[in-house]
Amino acid sequence: MIELEGVPELIDPVMVAAFEGWNDAGDAASTAVAHLDREWKGEVFAALDAEDYYDFQVNRPTVWLDNGVRKITWPTTRLSVVRVGGEKPRDLVLVRGIEPSMRWRSFCNELLGFAHELGVELVVVLGALLGDTPHTRPVPVSGVTSDPDLARSMDLEETKYEGPTGIVGILQEACTHAGVPAVSLWAAVPHYVSQPPNPKATLALLNRLEDLIDLRIPLGELPEDARAWQVGVDQLAAEDSEVAEYVQSLEEARDTAELPEASGEAIAREFERYLRRRDGGPAGPGGPGLATDGGDTAYLRDNPGGQARPAKPSRPETETDDGGPAKASGEDAEADTDGKPDDDSDD
């Protein structure tokens, strides 16, 4: 029995989830949810029992000092809630954690229990995959769902993917079978520069989420971080002629594939986003897209805003045709079998 004492009645709640690990290339998805939690000062109201779902030899707890007192942070999944102000206030339930090591069905059922008790109207799961996409072009973001009616009403792809999947795919299917509308948003991260952070991919996910739920998201320094990231990768790629040539071939393939779309709906979407942000005004206290009063969360956070110099891109290699995420489409989004980010949580 899930009891949510202290959580107020929510307004048109949407659950937004992301998980570190296999479906989080460049940490783009988990950093996006961390950004929402930080900007809107999310209040943690629940944490899943780490012993039920995690192998601590794979995802190890960390020890830290709090005013000289040693404390332990256990790897788990936490839920927080934010109330977004503006003319049409609504609430977001943020789910941020690590892909579980075991008992995936129980894990999803527990999250769905929270969604049911809170009256969640839509679940959006964020993911990021490695793909053959150039870092110099806009990050492709695919929106997919298993619900044909939802695909038509929200202009999404109906997923037809078959193959290995992660917790993102499992949670989406669990929602579908439980009758909860669910969408997955996938950002494609260049496989030759997969090291986190990737603020450009995080920004692309937040822009797509903004369009999906019709909500203005304060971006803070993320656009500037994304530009700095691209400049840094440009400089590193220029130092290696083979990488520069490979990036150019990806650019040509991408431009050729997207030429018909460039003159249609893509431009219209960008223009609508520009108008929405201009009319909404700057993010500030009491302005659109800001949370009401709320304290900082009480658990140890990652530092998604920390800027690190991108590592030197690896030399491009020919990928095997084994279902890996060579394309940034909904059908290929989950097949990240051989190209996951280097992260202890992926093992």
Side-chain angles (χ1 to χ4, degrees):
M1 180 68 179
I2 296 175
E3 297 182 3
L4 300 173
E5 296 181 3
V7 178
E9 184 176 352
L10 303 184
I11 302 173
D12 301 330
V14 173
M15 178 177 282
V16 182
F19 304 94
E20 300 172 18
W22 200 61
N23 294 146
D24 192 23
D27 291 353
S30 58
T31 301
V33 173
H35 176 89
L36 298 174
D37 194 44
R38 183 178 62 253
E39 290 293 324
W40 281 323
K41 296 180 172 57
E43 290 281 0
V44 173
F45 65 87
L48 305 191
D49 189 339
E51 298 234 357
D52 289 342
Y53 304 115
Y54 294 98
D55 180 346
F56 297 139
Q57 291 183 325
V58 176
N59 299 289
R60 293 187 178 273
T62 57
V63 179
W64 55 290
L65 292 175
D66 181 15
N67 294 323
V69 179
R70 296 176 67 81
K71 295 187 177 182
I72 297 177
T73 298
W74 295 93
T76 188
T77 294
R78 295 178 173 86
L79 291 84
S80 58
V81 63
V82 298
R83 173 150 295 173
V84 183
E87 295 182 0
K88 296 180 180 179
R90 79 179 314 169
D91 295 315
L92 297 183
V93 178
L94 304 179
V95 179
R96 182 181 175 221
I98 304 170
E99 183 176 66
S101 306
M102 60 196 79
R103 301 185 183 92
W104 284 20
R105 286 176 290 187
S106 298
F107 180 87
C108 292
N109 286 337
E110 191 164 354
L111 291 180
L112 282 170
F114 282 109
H116 175 73
E117 290 295 321
L118 294 168
V120 167
E121 299 178 347
L122 174 69
V123 174
V124 182
V125 193
L126 307 183
L129 63 141
L130 300 180
D132 290 333
T133 182
H135 72 277
T136 53
R137 296 294 185 266
V139 176
V141 177
S142 300
V144 297
T145 181
S146 300
D147 185 335
D149 295 331
L150 197 62
R152 286 190 293 270
S153 64
M154 302 189 76
D155 191 24
L156 301 167
E157 297 179 44
E158 185 180 353
T159 180
K160 293 179 173 56
Y161 170 76
E162 296 178 297
T165 187
I167 195 61
V168 172
I170 297 299
L171 179 56
Q172 178 173 310
E173 290 306 309
C175 290
T176 300
H177 288 298
V180 179
V183 175
S184 296
L185 299 181
W186 291 92
V189 172
H191 68 84
Y192 58 89
V193 56
S194 61
Q195 300 87 348
N198 190 318
K200 186 173 182 179
T202 295
L203 179 62
L205 280 171
L206 291 175
N207 283 336
R208 186 69 174 87
L209 177 64
E210 190 176 60
D211 293 340
L212 183 71
I213 62 178
D214 192 23
L215 184 70
R216 183 178 172 231
I217 297 174
L219 299 176
E221 297 180 357
L222 199 52
E224 183 179 345
D225 291 343
R227 286 190 292 268
W229 177 86
Q230 180 165 324
V231 169
V233 178
D234 285 343
Q235 293 173 347
L236 292 172
E239 296 174 2
D240 190 316
S241 59
E242 291 185 17
V243 173
E245 183 178 349
Y246 179 67
V247 171
Q248 183 178 358
S249 68
L250 292 178
E251 291 173 339
E252 293 172 354
R254 172 76 180 274
D255 294 344
T256 300
E258 295 194 347
L259 187 60
E261 184 184 2
S263 60
E265 294 182 0
I267 294 177
R269 285 196 300 268
E270 289 300 317
F271 186 62
E272 288 174 0
R273 183 182 295 119
Y274 163 75
L275 290 178
R276 181 168 58 248
R277 287 195 165 275
R278 186 192 66 177
D279 295 340
L290 289 181
T292 57
D293 293 342
D296 292 332
T297 54
Y299 62 93
L300 184 65
R301 299 177 187 271
D302 296 331
N303 181 23
Q307 273 301 112
R309 177 177 171 84
K312 181 178 177 65
S314 58
R315 293 178 181 273
E317 298 178 356
T318 303
E319 295 185 354
T320 58
D321 187 16
D322 62 353
K327 301 188 180 98
S329 70
E331 297 181 11
D332 301 323
E334 296 170 2
D336 191 2
T337 56
D338 62 347
K340 56 190 177 184
D342 295 332
D343 192 316
D344 290 342
S345 63
D346 299 338
D347 296 333

